[in-house]
Amino acid sequence: MTTLQSAILLLVINLGLLWLFLRVPLGRRTICLSQTYRCTPDTLWKAMNPAGPDASWHHSVISSRALADRCGVVEQAYRHLDKNGAPSRRLLALDPLPSMASNVHGFQARIIDDSTLDPTFWNHYRERRIIRPTPDGALLEVEQTDRYRGLAFLMFRYFVLRREMKTLDGWLKTGESLPQGYFERPLVQGGLAVLSTLLLWPFLGLDAGGLMLSTFLTLVIVLHELGHMAAYRMFGHASVRMIFVPLLGGIAVGGRPYRSVFEVATCALMGAGMSAFMVPILAVTTQLSDVGLLPSASRGPLLIFLLILGTFNLLNLLPMHRFDGGQVLRQIFRTRRSQMAASFVVTLCILGIGFEIGLPANMLTAGLFVFVLVSLVSGGSVKPRQMLDEMKDGERMLVAFGLYAAIAVHGYAIIFATEKLF
């Protein structure tokens, strides 16, 4: 298989995975889990009942109480923060279950209000919890029903529910609720980054050169996501983390929803912005190797890394819906007409860089078509409960010049590395 064929195959696999995880229409789906606990049904019901005395047993729940002025409605407060840094709140409407045996407890609920997300997000969500006595203790049956598009959120809900049931078991045994799971831990994410490198290796050639390319690509992705994480920290997010998805790349996750349009634009731009600081350092280092101040053997790998760094970040600045470039342009320009004009200019600049390094027009056209497809299969954004604070003129100008600088710096990296290599 040639390098071009491998690249096309890798691209097709990525597009298929993106569609599967983000866009495949799944319709109405129900997650069903059950577990037996060594306790009395009444003890378990006190914790599961949203208005029960132990309803706030979970470490992420601050309080859960019935509203005196609204029959059948429970207010829950969570440690997860809203955009103002306050605990997020939800209102649950408890609906009666069909008639059950006297020794069976249960409820079904729907979310009617949310301080973080627009209430329409919960239109199709329903939850049912039933506790049945067993010879060994009590059986908890949980059902969560919602309408899904893409496997990602369905899988997320499944694993969150599994963790909750495991945490409940620990709380019943020790009286303490502790976070469960290892997926977000740095060691696990480091292992996923290594796995991604090894999965990319066959597509780039099963030799030392292919391993070098796959390693460089993984490092570039990590550096890019570190830029997003640094921006989150700068805007006061108490916790940030990186989730690495083999073959698909990485995702930087903040600790709360965005507060302002300026925050959205800056956090999106800082992925390429952090990498831009590496461009002059790498360019100067290769120049030092040219004049003999550094080993000449380092010249080739440095230029290849610079080329991958520039290409990855420049393509990420394309004005596609879920790309960083599209995110930034939508915040700078608020009308459809201005967004279209700005998208055309940015795309033209990136195509111009492609022409400058000698890429044929048909390849550039095919590449642009592929990135349009990627934009189409990306998932839609979740509507927040409150409107974000708009940008001031000075902030808008700052972000616009930052986008221009990021395109120029990474474009220079590609041209510089290409001229030196070829």
Side-chain angles (χ1 to χ4, degrees):
M1 185 180 293
T2 65
T3 303
L4 180 60
Q5 290 173 331
S6 298
I8 293 173
L9 177 60
L10 179 61
L11 184 62
V12 170
I13 291 174
N14 273 268
L15 284 172
L17 288 175
L18 283 172
W19 181 78
L20 184 65
F21 282 112
L22 299 177
R23 298 299 291 172
V24 58
L26 297 176
R28 192 176 179 88
R29 299 289 172 180
T30 299
I31 302 170
C32 300
L33 288 178
S34 63
Q35 185 169 333
T36 300
Y37 298 94
R38 294 185 178 276
C39 66
T40 65
D42 287 338
T43 300
L44 189 56
W45 174 241
K46 290 177 182 178
M48 288 296 98
N49 180 7
D54 296 327
S56 58
W57 64 271
H58 196 275
H59 55 270
S60 67
V61 179
I62 299 174
S63 64
S64 182
R65 62 183 182 87
L67 296 181
D69 57 341
R70 298 182 67 177
C71 182
V73 176
V74 172
E75 181 187 51
Q76 294 184 324
Y78 294 86
R79 299 190 190 279
H80 307 300
L81 304 179
D82 62 18
K83 82 181 191 74
N84 299 314
S88 61
R89 298 180 180 276
R90 291 177 189 166
L91 293 183
L92 273 67
L94 304 182
D95 300 322
L97 281 170
S99 57
M100 299 182 297
S102 58
N103 60 349
V104 176
H105 305 285
F107 71 90
Q108 55 186 7
R110 49 196 172 85
I111 297 174
I112 57 175
D113 200 11
D114 189 318
S115 65
T116 301
L117 301 174
D118 189 89
T120 57
F121 178 82
W122 301 103
N123 278 350
H124 304 285
Y125 179 82
R126 299 291 185 272
E127 182 173 353
R128 174 183 294 193
R129 300 195 176 208
I130 299 175
I131 298 169
R132 305 180 190 276
T134 67
D136 297 327
L139 174 66
L140 172 63
E141 300 173 353
V142 182
E143 295 180 3
Q144 287 184 351
T145 302
D146 206 347
R147 188 175 296 278
Y148 294 94
R149 192 173 184 87
L151 278 174
F153 195 47
L154 177 63
M155 294 172 61
F156 171 78
R157 282 238 177 101
Y158 172 78
F159 286 109
V160 166
L161 188 54
R162 277 190 58 184
R163 286 186 181 184
E164 180 189 339
M165 299 181 80
K166 187 176 180 181
T167 303
L168 175 61
D169 187 51
W171 177 79
L172 289 169
K173 291 176 179 177
T174 66
E176 186 178 9
S177 170
L178 297 174
Q180 302 292 325
Y182 303 93
F183 183 73
E184 297 91 347
R185 296 188 179 182
L187 186 61
V188 174
Q189 289 304 312
L192 289 175
V194 173
L195 175 62
S196 181
T197 301
L198 296 176
L199 290 175
L200 288 169
W201 186 10
F203 295 99
L204 302 173
L206 276 172
D207 52 23
L211 182 59
M212 180 185 70
L213 291 175
S214 62
T215 302
F216 283 172
L217 181 56
T218 300
L219 290 175
V220 165
I221 293 172
V222 170
L223 185 63
H224 181 92
E225 299 307 325
L226 285 175
H228 292 310
M229 293 171 69
Y232 285 135
R233 282 293 191 186
M234 180 183 69
F235 281 100
H237 289 240
S239 62
V240 295
R241 60 190 184 275
M242 182 190 306
I243 305 298
F244 214 93
V245 185
L247 288 180
L248 294 179
I251 306 170
V253 182
R256 58 162 175 77
Y258 293 114
R259 288 176 179 164
S260 65
V261 173
F262 179 66
E263 183 179 347
V264 176
T266 305
C267 290
L269 186 58
M270 272 300 291
M274 175 74 80
S275 301
F277 286 103
M278 294 294 297
V279 172
I281 297 173
L282 292 169
V284 170
T285 305
T286 57
Q287 297 281 27
L288 292 177
S289 66
D290 286 342
V291 298
L293 296 178
L294 289 176
S296 58
S298 64
R299 180 179 183 274
L302 284 172
L303 287 171
I304 292 173
F305 183 76
L306 182 60
L307 181 60
I308 294 174
L309 179 78
T311 303
F312 177 87
N313 285 283
L314 189 66
L315 292 179
N316 204 262
L317 292 173
L318 277 166
M320 305 304 177
H321 178 66
R322 296 297 292 175
F323 283 31
D324 291 340
Q327 288 266 43
V328 175
L329 284 181
R330 285 199 305 276
Q331 314 315 317
I332 299 174
F333 303 97
R334 307 301 283 173
T335 65
R336 180 62 62 87
R337 183 173 297 179
S338 60
Q339 288 174 5
M340 291 178 62
S343 298
F344 177 78
V345 172
V346 171
T347 304
L348 197 62
C349 290
I350 295 176
L351 290 176
I353 294 169
F355 278 114
E356 178 65 24
I357 63 175
L359 293 179
N362 57 352
M363 182 179 294
L364 292 173
T365 304
L368 188 60
F369 175 73
V370 166
F371 282 103
V372 170
L373 281 180
V374 172
S375 181
L376 292 175
V377 301
S378 297
S381 56
V382 177
K383 185 179 179 182
R385 172 62 185 268
Q386 299 174 325
M387 294 293 293
L388 303 182
D389 300 335
E390 287 291 339
M391 270 198 281
K392 300 175 182 177
D393 290 340
E395 294 172 336
R396 198 180 307 277
M397 183 179 69
L398 184 65
V399 173
F401 277 117
L403 177 61
Y404 167 78
I407 293 173
V409 170
H410 289 296
Y412 168 80
I414 295 171
I415 295 171
F416 177 87
T418 304
E419 289 179 349
K420 292 285 186 179
L421 285 169
F422 307 109

